[in-house]
Amino acid sequence: MPFPFTTFLLLLFLPFVASSNFSLPALDSVRLAQTGVREAITEIGNLKRRQFGDWNLQAALRDCATLYEEAEWRLAGMLVGENKYRAEDGRMWVSAAMANHRSCLDGLEEVHDVAAVDGNNLTVMLTGALHLYDKIAAVEKRNGRKRLGKRKWRENRGTNLATWNPATSKANYVVAKDGSGTHRTINRAVAALARSGRTRRGGRIVIYVKAGVYRENVEIGIQLKNVMLVGDGIDKTIVTGSRNVPDGATTYNSATFGVSGDGFWVRDITFENTAGPGKQQAVALRLNSDLAVVYRCAIKGYQDTLFLHSLRQFYRDCKIYGTIDFIFGNSAAVLQNCEIFVRQPILHQANMITAQGRDDPAEATGFSILNSRVQPAPEFSPVKAQYRTYLGRPWKRFSRTVVIATDLDGLIDPKGWGEWTGDFAISTLFYAEFKNRGDGSSTRFRVNWPGFHILRSAEEARPFTVAEFLHGGDWIPATGVPFEAGV
């Protein structure tokens, strides 16, 4: 049942939504949400001062402060940009602000203090803005409003992720452990970039990380846009960490490598979290970057390896390793031509490949696994029959994941999908399969849930392609990364 205040907003703005003059009510809903976020920032600041001695709570509150500041920054950008973007963009950006809000509350729950912040009012404000943009997006689609055209990416200036070569191209920063670059650590290069102000002047920034093992936790903040990170290859350039929830981190800040700046591109790097299967949530890579592209990378961990936090993301030719919920979050993400390796969990655990976190039907988010391969990691293969492995389970009520034209090893349980708890979300989720192959692909004994679907045609699968789900034809070609637009 929708929130009463949300319903009020929609009724109030409906006459504007039905016409072409929707800018004012849409922006008003964003201003209202922005006010709520600013109030949350103040509340978090007050809590940090009062709860000084509780270190776990302090860590969660630091996350909240960052998450709300980034949400406010994104909403402020919508107000500055006014009507220069489409409603589908606005919907995605409001959804990202909601994801930040939820991550704050999730982090507080992990330290057993979710009551520290009253998030209900902000949830209502963000939901109102989200539903309004969803209605406007539907009107735009119905009226056939032309897309804004391909993003020009003037800031690229010829920079190409697929073809960039350290032997013939110049990087803005070079990271090398032996001192042969501009910096010895990635963090120092990122700090230098932040001080330089280069991203504010436009242009894509290239950070080349030479082969080596970099033991550091890296954060690329929301104001550092259009960063391109290039390594020397999978298992040659390695960024590694071991933060985890039992040892005091939140899931959000356990990430070995986290990116909030939009337009992030990365190639030929391994990101890993070595905490191990017994350390619960331990993220290797977390992205809350819009229009992000990850190419020829390995992401290695166990539980919660790859945090597809929010916004639009494309993964091509990647290798992803894990055990439980190891591809999770609430982005709109397509994984194409990727290898998904299931590892051995601790005894009596079942493997869950995905845990998608869509919590509102108005969110245009979900995971699409296309033309990929799901298989046991080499060390797990001899004992894979001793454990159950599922394609995913619903983290939130409207969880959405599709698996299309993918080779599924026989380790996949005949049910295909697992429960979160009891019958939670089995009627509201959307899980689907289409034209998969391999010993684990038979749908004969799949779950009999209202929310599970066997797609019957390419037309039914089309909404989850690169072209439709991400509108990837507008922005992926600039990277030079190969992709198939359809099924």
Side-chain angles (χ1 to χ4, degrees):
M1 182 177 179
F3 294 99
F5 185 67
T6 304
T7 305
F8 169 75
L9 276 177
L10 292 176
L11 290 173
L12 179 65
F13 294 149
L14 195 59
F16 297 95
V17 171
S19 71
S20 60
N21 183 22
F22 58 76
S23 177
L24 179 61
L27 293 176
D28 281 347
S29 73
V30 173
R31 288 189 185 95
L32 187 62
Q34 184 188 38
T35 298
V37 170
R38 286 174 172 170
E39 290 174 354
I41 292 171
T42 300
E43 184 180 0
I44 292 298
N46 293 335
L47 277 169
K48 286 173 68 177
R49 286 187 289 273
R50 291 201 301 266
Q51 304 289 339
F52 184 75
D54 189 332
W55 300 112
N56 287 342
L57 179 55
Q58 281 290 320
L61 291 173
R62 282 194 297 272
D63 283 355
C64 288
T66 299
L67 287 161
Y68 286 135
E69 286 165 5
E70 291 182 352
E72 198 279 334
W73 189 91
R74 196 168 291 284
L75 295 174
M78 294 176 67
L79 296 173
V80 171
E82 295 186 349
N83 200 26
K84 296 177 183 177
Y85 51 85
R86 289 180 55 88
E88 65 186 34
D89 294 318
R91 177 176 57 184
M92 188 62 66
W93 297 333
V94 173
S95 177
M98 290 186 70
N100 282 22
H101 177 47
R102 292 187 195 119
S103 289
C104 168
L105 299 181
D106 288 343
L108 292 170
E109 185 175 0
E110 286 172 351
V111 299
H112 311 293
D113 207 345
V114 70
V117 173
D118 179 10
N120 289 334
N121 287 341
L122 181 54
T123 298
V124 171
M125 293 175 189
L126 289 167
T127 300
L130 175 70
H131 281 244
L132 183 57
Y133 273 97
D134 184 54
K135 295 289 185 183
I136 297 169
V139 171
E140 285 184 353
K141 185 175 182 179
R142 186 167 61 249
N143 291 345
R145 179 180 172 185
K146 292 183 179 180
R147 298 190 56 76
L148 296 181
K150 293 188 177 182
R151 298 171 188 267
K152 299 302 183 183
W153 294 105
R154 288 189 297 267
E155 66 271 16
N156 290 347
R157 296 176 184 172
T159 304
N160 185 296
L161 178 64
T163 62
W164 192 91
N165 186 334
T168 57
S169 304
K170 182 176 176 57
N172 300 96
Y173 303 93
V174 178
V175 181
K177 292 185 70 67
D178 62 5
S180 61
T182 59
H183 299 85
R184 290 180 180 269
T185 70
I186 302 170
N187 271 312
R188 289 178 179 173
V190 171
L193 170 59
R195 289 193 302 270
S196 73
R198 285 182 174 180
T199 58
R200 292 194 295 272
R201 296 195 295 268
R204 183 159 293 279
I205 302 299
V206 179
I207 302 176
Y208 168 47
V209 186
K210 292 186 177 182
V213 178
Y214 297 85
R215 302 184 187 280
E216 50 183 319
N217 291 81
V218 180
E219 284 285 340
I220 297 179
I222 195 168
Q223 295 185 357
L224 300 183
K225 300 196 299 182
N226 303 318
V227 172
M228 183 171 111
L229 194 71
V230 179
D232 278 330
I234 288 177
D235 294 339
K236 292 180 180 178
T237 298
I238 302 171
V239 188
T240 184
S242 60
R243 286 182 185 169
N244 59 85
V245 168
D247 289 344
T250 63
T251 298
Y252 187 86
N253 70 36
S254 71
T256 300
F257 203 98
V259 183
S260 300
D262 290 345
F264 177 70
W265 298 352
V266 60
R267 189 192 88 196
D268 293 338
I269 291 181
T270 293
F271 302 97
E272 67 178 12
N273 190 309
T274 60
K279 286 294 186 179
Q280 301 175 30
Q281 300 96 325
V283 176
L285 177 65
R286 187 203 74 242
L287 291 190
N288 6 347
S289 170
D290 201 15
L291 310 180
V293 176
V294 181
Y295 182 43
R296 295 193 325 215
C297 289
I299 305 106
K300 299 182 178 182
Y302 292 88
Q303 183 172 344
D304 290 5
T305 304
L306 176 57
F307 196 172
L308 307 176
H309 184 272
S310 52
L311 300 162
R312 291 162 284 200
Q313 306 177 20
F314 178 61
Y315 294 74
R316 173 77 187 202
D317 300 351
C318 291
K319 299 180 178 183
I320 306 161
Y321 296 73
T323 54
I324 298 172
D325 305 338
F326 65 95
I327 302 172
F328 77 110
N330 193 30
S331 69
V334 173
L335 285 65
Q336 190 176 77
N337 199 40
C338 291
E339 295 182 86
I340 298 171
F341 291 97
V342 181
R343 291 177 137 175
Q344 184 173 349
I346 63 176
L347 200 61
H348 306 305
Q349 282 187 334
N351 288 311
M352 299 285 178
I353 294 171
T354 66
Q356 206 280 327
R358 182 168 168 255
D359 204 25
D360 190 298
E363 293 182 288
T365 54
F367 300 162
S368 180
I369 300 173
L370 288 171
N371 297 297
S372 295
R373 291 158 298 285
V374 176
Q375 57 198 303
E379 71 278 5
F380 183 47
S381 190
V383 297
K384 67 180 184 180
Q386 299 176 27
Y387 299 84
R388 292 186 180 277
T389 297
Y390 300 93
L391 293 170
R393 60 176 178 167
W395 183 24
K396 303 292 183 181
R397 289 177 300 161
F398 296 93
S399 181
R400 180 161 59 178
T401 301
V402 298
V403 183
I404 297 172
T406 290
D407 191 302
L408 303 179
D409 183 88
L411 61 69
I412 299 298
D413 190 272
K415 282 179 56 180
W417 305 85
E419 297 83 0
W420 187 267
T421 179
D423 62 357
F424 171 73
I426 65 173
S427 297
T428 51
L429 59 78
F430 185 95
Y431 288 166
E433 298 180 51
F434 178 66
K435 276 197 172 181
N436 294 318
R437 57 193 181 276
D439 293 341
S441 65
S442 173
T443 57
R444 182 180 177 187
F445 299 108
R446 287 297 195 252
V447 292
N448 186 27
W449 298 344
F452 173 69
H453 307 270
I454 300 171
L455 305 182
R456 302 297 181 184
S457 67
E459 184 64 22
E460 289 187 355
R462 187 170 60 85
F464 305 102
T465 60
V466 172
E468 292 293 322
F469 198 51
L470 297 181
H471 297 296
D474 291 351
W475 54 279
I476 298 175
T479 70
V481 171
F483 71 97
E484 286 78 49
V487 176

